Amino acid sequence: MRKVLVLGGDGFCGWPTALHLSDAGYEVIIVDDFSRRKTDIELEVESLTPIQPLGERLRVWREVSGKNIRHVVITIGKEYHRLLELLVTEKPHTIVHFAEQRSAPYSMKSSSHRRLTVNNNLSATNDILAAIVESKLDIHLVHLGTMGVYGYGTAGMKIPEGYLKVQVEEEGRFVSSEILYPPNPGSIYHMTKAQDQLLFAFYNKNDGLRITDLHQGIVWGTQTHQTRRDEYLINRFDYDGDYGTVLNRFLMQAAINYPLTVHGTGGQKRAFIHIQDSCRCIQLAIENPPEKDDRVKILNQMTEIHRVRDLAKLIADKTDVAIAYVDNPRKESPENDLLAVNDQLLEMGLQPITLSDKLLSEVEQVAKKYSSRCDQRKIPCLSKW
Ligand SMILES: NC(=O)c1ccc[n+]([C@@H]2O[C@H](COP(=O)([O-])OP(=O)(O)OC[C@H]3O[C@@H](n4cnc5c(N)ncnc54)[C@H](O)[C@@H]3O)[C@@H](O)[C@H]2O)c1
């Protein structure tokens, strides 16, 4: 049985991915230090859905599926030797790396949040890469990056998957090359993801590591086929101003009839993917690794692009909730165009779930069901930059 380490496997994307891979027949080991749960204490918020402690989640998964997922508590980036020992002992075939601080607003709250995000994310990524080299094992690393590394302006062209073909004029002739798409991060969090790309390029060139970097869009939805199998397996749902992502926040706001908070004109275009598709894409990435001498494989892991105000209107029309245009707390263009390629995952067999398929069932089955757990004081985005 192929063995996969899921780093950050207690989080919003990591937990359903761990279950999805376990269900698909992989031996899964979760590594997590529960820093995300501790951040909830710091921010005085809770997931809208009542998530269980990891041990309880794993006990129930054993009961409903007959499959065992082990877990190890390691702070990646701080406990290098424990991570190395885990690799050498378990000899995983693939590592899926979710273990980073992933909120842009949180990363911009104060200098200590900036430093925490940089220290956590870059040390974690570098330690994983260094440990793979030191272990001398041929481990494929699958990392969750973000579409945000590209920035959100496209000069009228489709954003390619990671690499940009360029032609430079030199002494009257044109020289062609392919370079990493120039990063244009909009927050400290996105900046760490842009830096991760350089670490990957270096370790790939210098040490021959096999790496897939998934530039993921904003994930929406909550439940997957596996997390639905028992209420104790439920996934987390963040709606607060720091960790809540735009579409899930709208779904929850619609459920409690709270005017949908559109930032600025709502002219920002963003890329989206449903949580179920995110899990499926990760499985596809694991099963289609780069060859030994290939460069870093970069895939745009997103299925739809929407303008924020259009999304708000779509949900408002379906649910009769009002829209509130509020000051944009972020430093970003009020309007942007976004076009991006996602050919590789479609070619591997991804059949996207669309917003029109699932939107209302998410409002009814998740957001409305747990709406009594919502603390409305936590909805506004207070982190400004
Ligand atoms: N949620 C999204 O919409 C989205 C979109 C694009 C990309 N991503 C990427 O996917 C990854 C996972 O996102 P998520 O939404 O599941 O985040 P999350 O915060 O819910 O999960 C991350 C998990 O990693 C753990 N973790 C963090 N740092 C760690 C460390 N140093 N050592 C051990 N464990 C650590 C946390 O405790 C948490 O359980 C992130 O890297 C994020 O950038 C997420």
Side-chain angles (χ1 to χ4, degrees):
M1 199 191 295
R2 299 210 145 175
K3 200 183 278 185
V4 180
L5 296 191
V6 179
L7 314 182
D10 187 47
F12 170 60
C13 299
W15 171 241
T17 302
L19 296 188
H20 178 89
L21 295 175
S22 172
D23 213 20
Y26 288 87
E27 180 179 350
V28 176
I29 302 174
I30 286 176
V31 181
D32 205 294
D33 68 348
F34 306 122
S35 47
R36 179 68 193 85
R37 290 184 188 246
K38 290 172 199 153
T39 307
D40 274 349
I41 297 171
E42 174 197 338
L43 299 174
E44 301 182 359
V45 290
E46 271 186 285
S47 161
L48 187 73
T49 48
I51 54 172
Q52 298 301 313
L54 182 58
E56 196 57 9
R57 286 175 147 184
L58 297 178
R59 182 189 66 74
V60 174
W61 178 243
R62 255 192 314 278
E63 249 173 50
V64 301
S65 71
K67 291 176 171 141
N68 193 31
I69 298 179
R70 286 180 285 151
H71 84 276
V72 185
V73 182
I74 297 179
T75 297
I76 302 159
K78 282 201 177 145
E79 299 178 280
Y80 176 76
H81 290 286
R82 292 191 59 217
L83 176 67
L84 176 62
E85 194 183 306
L86 184 71
L87 300 198
V88 172
T89 317
E90 298 291 348
K91 301 185 176 38
H93 166 264
T94 305
I95 295 177
V96 186
H97 172 25
F98 295 101
E100 294 183 87
Q101 191 299 100
R102 72 99 172 132
S103 156
Y106 183 84
S107 76
M108 300 300 289
K109 281 179 105 62
S110 72
S111 53
S112 75
H113 294 90
R114 289 174 189 233
R115 294 178 62 246
L116 179 155
T117 304
V118 170
N119 293 340
N120 185 65
N121 294 4
L122 296 185
S123 296
T125 300
N126 189 48
D127 273 16
I128 295 161
L129 293 162
I132 295 176
V133 173
E134 193 172 349
S135 74
K136 298 194 170 55
L137 295 164
D138 179 17
I139 300 173
H140 173 208
L141 177 65
V142 176
H143 170 253
L144 272 291
T146 160
M147 289 291 292
V149 295
Y150 299 125
Y152 294 110
T154 65
M157 53 171 265
K158 278 191 175 178
I159 294 180
E161 300 199 79
Y163 299 95
L164 182 68
K165 289 197 173 90
V166 291
Q167 274 199 335
V168 180
E169 193 184 347
E170 195 184 85
E171 294 170 3
R173 67 188 182 106
F174 282 100
V175 182
S176 300
S177 183
E178 216 171 359
I179 58 169
L180 262 182
Y181 192 94
N184 186 12
S187 72
I188 288 283
Y189 154 70
H190 290 101
M191 194 272 300
T192 63
K193 296 286 181 174
Q195 300 271 20
D196 279 345
Q197 292 194 102
L198 279 184
L199 288 168
F200 297 142
F202 175 77
Y203 277 90
N204 168 264
K205 181 185 73 170
N206 194 69
D207 303 285
L209 294 198
R210 289 190 301 135
I211 301 166
T212 301
D213 196 7
L214 300 170
H215 286 188
Q216 183 164 246
I218 299 170
V219 182
W220 69 282
T222 318
Q223 297 280 59
T224 62
H225 300 315
Q226 291 76 28
T227 61
R228 252 185 229 109
R229 286 170 69 176
D230 190 292
E231 191 161 18
Y232 271 34
L233 299 175
I234 200 162
N235 197 15
R236 65 178 302 131
F237 182 119
D238 298 307
Y239 65 91
D240 61 279
D242 288 315
Y243 277 88
T245 49
V246 58
L247 186 45
N248 276 5
R249 278 167 56 81
F250 285 170
L251 295 173
M252 188 280 303
Q253 291 168 359
I256 59 167
N257 202 22
Y258 185 105
L260 307 179
T261 48
V262 172
H263 292 166
T265 62
Q268 315 85 347
K269 271 196 171 176
R270 293 289 183 268
F272 294 90
I273 184 166
H274 190 267
I275 184 73
Q276 180 77 63
D277 281 346
S278 171
C279 298
R280 173 83 183 119
C281 288
I282 289 158
Q283 184 183 356
L284 289 170
I286 293 172
E287 291 171 1
N288 294 277
E291 299 295 330
K292 191 75 189 120
D293 294 323
D294 286 355
R295 68 183 179 185
V296 176
K297 189 169 184 172
I298 301 178
L299 311 178
N300 290 344
Q301 182 163 306
M302 55 95 199
T303 55
E304 288 178 88
I305 292 177
H306 294 280
R307 209 178 278 287
V308 170
R309 64 170 169 260
D310 297 341
L311 274 181
K313 183 160 181 339
L314 180 77
I315 296 171
D317 287 348
K318 283 183 191 284
T319 59
D320 255 352
V321 68
I323 297 178
Y325 289 90
V326 298
D327 285 347
N328 191 347
R330 300 183 178 207
K331 203 175 277 172
E332 63 182 3
S333 312
E335 306 269 327
N336 72 280
D337 245 323
L338 179 62
L339 299 162
V341 172
N342 62 346
D343 296 341
Q344 295 184 77
L345 283 161
L346 296 177
E347 279 161 17
M348 290 175 194
L350 177 70
Q351 291 175 330
I353 293 168
T354 61
L355 241 69
S356 48
D357 294 338
K358 287 255 183 195
L359 212 52
L360 281 186
S361 64
E362 287 286 342
V363 176
E364 293 296 330
Q365 292 166 16
V366 180
K368 268 206 177 127
K369 181 167 178 195
Y370 298 105
S371 57
S372 63
R373 290 172 50 87
C374 169
D375 177 351
Q376 296 196 16
R377 293 167 306 173
K378 299 298 177 185
I379 294 177
C381 289
L382 300 178
S383 178
K384 293 192 168 43
W385 69 96

